[in-house]
Amino acid sequence: MQNSSPEKVTPVLTGNPVISATGLFTPEDSITNEELVESFNAYVERFNTAHAVAIAAGEIEPLAPSSVEFIEKASGIKARHVMSKAPILDPDIMAPRWEARSNEEFSMMAEIGVAAARQALERAGRDPGDVDAVLCAASNMERPYPAMAIEIQQALGIDGFGFDMNVACSSATFGIQTAADYIRSGNAKSVLVVSPEITSGHLNWRDRDSHFIFGDVATAVLVEDAAIAPAKHWDILGTKLKTVFSNNIRNNFGFLNRAHPESAGTADKLFVQEGRKVFKEVVPMVAQMIVDEAARLGIDPQALRRLWLHQANAGMNRLISHRVLGHEATDDESPTVLDTYGNTSSAGSIIAFHLNSDDLSAGDTGLICSFGAGYSAGTVFVRKAA
Ligand code: COA
């Protein structure tokens, strides 16, 4: 009798993923540290005046003022772009505000995602009709469904599929590896990874420890098969992802909040972190991951021409780049966008790459690297093709 078990099929890996182009949308409005601290301290003064009796009686703690010097020294952040400046700076509001949009209007994330995506498509000379998939890879989703990725897909006239994915600050690099894997497997030839980060919605602008951290932005990365990519592209030499569970960066907002309405609106429904612990734990984890992955790929980390690191803290980037390069990195070797953009979650390393990669020469190798909540970290080693 003949053996009826199905024949083993060995998958044929066909594609060779590259980065064809990137795009960036930057909101017009920007808030300087001086403006931010002035508004925060006005809020603190009002609070302490309003609660003077309770504070004097030792019933509640007075709020402490923020400081421009602390923010710059501790983080390297000098300003951040936002979608809605005036209400954030209004001590009575301290949150973004805009008109609610109807279901027939563009959602906010899709709107800025499309702006970044159009720039990436233009720079690659790619007709949206030839893109196979859209991944909306971001930290703070505007709604659970329908996916923002599908709205972006429709707005751009892309046939195929789209879905949202959230790996916090590492969403974009996780998106790049996902896109690269579709191309490696032959399931797609052109994939847009869009990261609209409207972080001003989840930031607690009344929290002294974190009110200065985040900014709004959108980035897009077009990952394609080398066979169809423009001559001017970046070869992807290797991608690596890592997650390790931690509560040190957390946001408890979600639809199950309805199950315990008494805790609605508490501070943990916005961004909360143990910044010092994050700093101490993530720096060695990421530095080791980069060095190990470089060894696996046969790349000398000290020969990397540029590091486009996650943009959360200038001190973290200094330590990580020192460990990787073996010396204190210059601004040219490890550029920062923290000073003008702040922490833009998953978009940070992509902004750094977008704004600081045109000057490199063919053959130069570099690293896009993200890290953040989860913990999550991702590396994308690239080499300029032309
Ligand atoms: N203005 C003035 N002083 C402030 C302040 C503010 N806005 N916020 C905190 N301080 C004070 C604290 O009260 C503390 O005072 P103390 O020493 O008298 O107790 C002191 O400054 C140090 O606070 P700390 O929170 O330990 O600061 P830090 O040096 O750790 O810097 C971060 C804070 C958030 C900038 C830093 O920890 C960081 O960036 N960590 C990594 C975060 C990260 O990557 N997160 C990922 C997010 S996606």
Side-chain angles (χ1 to χ4, degrees):
M1 207 175 137
Q2 249 189 336
N3 185 346
S4 62
S5 65
E7 259 180 56
K8 255 198 176 165
V9 180
T10 313
V12 184
L13 297 182
T14 53
N16 175 19
V18 307
I19 292 176
S20 287
T22 53
L24 172 65
F25 167 81
T26 303
E28 272 174 31
D29 279 353
S30 167
I31 298 177
T32 63
N33 285 347
E34 286 75 11
E35 291 172 310
L36 188 72
V37 166
E38 191 188 330
S39 133
F40 183 89
N41 289 351
Y43 154 70
V44 166
E45 216 177 295
R46 284 184 197 190
F47 179 94
N48 289 347
T49 306
H51 298 89
V53 175
I55 291 170
E59 289 160 12
I60 55 173
E61 285 290 316
L63 295 181
S66 184
S67 111
V68 170
E69 296 69 36
F70 169 82
I71 295 171
E72 288 192 22
K73 193 157 178 267
S75 69
I77 297 167
K78 295 182 183 161
R80 70 286 296 142
H81 289 273
V82 290
M83 298 293 290
S84 157
K85 176 172 174 170
I88 289 173
L89 291 180
D90 181 338
D92 288 329
I93 304 175
M94 297 178 87
R97 287 279 187 273
W98 47 75
E99 289 286 308
R101 296 184 176 193
S102 75
N103 289 356
E104 282 62 49
E105 290 173 287
F106 235 159
S107 66
M108 206 72 165
M109 280 182 73
E111 182 181 316
I112 68 170
V114 162
R118 281 198 201 287
Q119 194 187 54
L121 293 168
E122 254 167 48
R123 285 163 66 114
R126 177 70 55 229
D127 179 342
D130 295 330
V131 176
D132 301 309
V134 177
L135 312 185
C136 179
S139 292
N140 295 282
M141 297 302 179
E142 190 170 342
R143 60 169 185 262
Y145 43 80
M148 264 65 71
I150 305 176
E151 196 182 351
I152 294 170
Q153 175 198 348
Q154 189 211 31
L156 293 171
I158 291 171
D159 198 11
F161 67 93
F163 62 88
D164 294 347
M165 53 184 288
N166 180 351
V167 202
C169 287
S170 289
S171 298
T173 53
F174 275 59
I176 291 172
Q177 170 158 317
T178 305
D181 284 345
Y182 283 139
I183 287 155
R184 289 173 183 131
S185 66
N187 279 325
K189 291 228 170 292
S190 178
V191 183
L192 257 175
V193 181
V194 186
S195 300
E197 291 286 11
I198 307 183
T199 63
S200 55
H202 86 136
L203 180 55
N204 185 351
W205 297 91
R206 291 197 166 102
D207 174 35
R208 177 173 177 258
D209 288 345
S210 63
H211 77 113
F212 53 89
I213 292 183
F214 288 102
D216 299 335
V217 80
T219 56
V221 182
L222 185 64
V223 183
E224 300 195 305
D225 190 346
I228 67 158
K232 212 175 147 221
H233 65 255
W234 291 81
D235 292 316
I236 294 179
L237 304 175
T239 56
K240 181 86 178 172
L241 310 179
K242 185 178 172 78
T243 50
V244 179
F245 186 72
S246 167
N247 277 319
N248 288 335
I249 313 170
R250 190 156 175 135
N251 184 332
N252 286 330
F253 184 78
F255 62 90
L256 293 187
N257 294 162
R258 295 183 68 218
H260 37 84
E262 66 285 357
S263 66
T266 50
D268 66 321
K269 309 301 185 303
L270 296 170
F271 170 88
V272 182
Q273 75 167 350
E274 294 276 350
R276 195 65 38 126
K277 285 190 191 159
V278 174
F279 195 113
K280 280 197 181 137
E281 292 173 8
V282 169
V283 166
M285 180 184 107
V286 170
Q288 194 58 49
M289 180 181 173
I290 296 171
V291 170
D292 291 348
E293 177 63 356
R296 189 181 75 84
L297 296 171
I299 294 169
D300 173 5
Q302 303 201 357
L304 288 168
R305 176 66 187 82
R306 192 162 287 163
L307 307 176
W308 300 280
L309 299 180
H310 177 52
Q311 302 285 313
N313 181 293
M316 287 175 98
N317 287 4
R318 242 189 324 276
L319 291 172
I320 292 170
S321 50
H322 194 293
R323 171 84 202 284
V324 171
L325 299 175
H327 62 262
E328 177 95 5
T330 61
D331 288 347
D332 183 70
E333 288 171 317
S334 178
T336 186
V337 300
L338 271 171
D339 49 349
T340 48
Y341 282 89
N343 181 339
T344 50
S345 193
S346 73
S349 58
I350 308 300
I351 305 173
F353 177 71
H354 178 87
L355 296 177
N356 300 284
S357 51
D358 283 348
D359 60 315
L360 264 55
S361 309
D364 281 344
T365 53
L367 167 71
I368 299 169
C369 176
S370 69
F371 40 89
Y375 296 133
S376 59
T379 58
V380 181
F381 282 87
V382 292
R383 182 178 54 216
K384 196 161 194 178

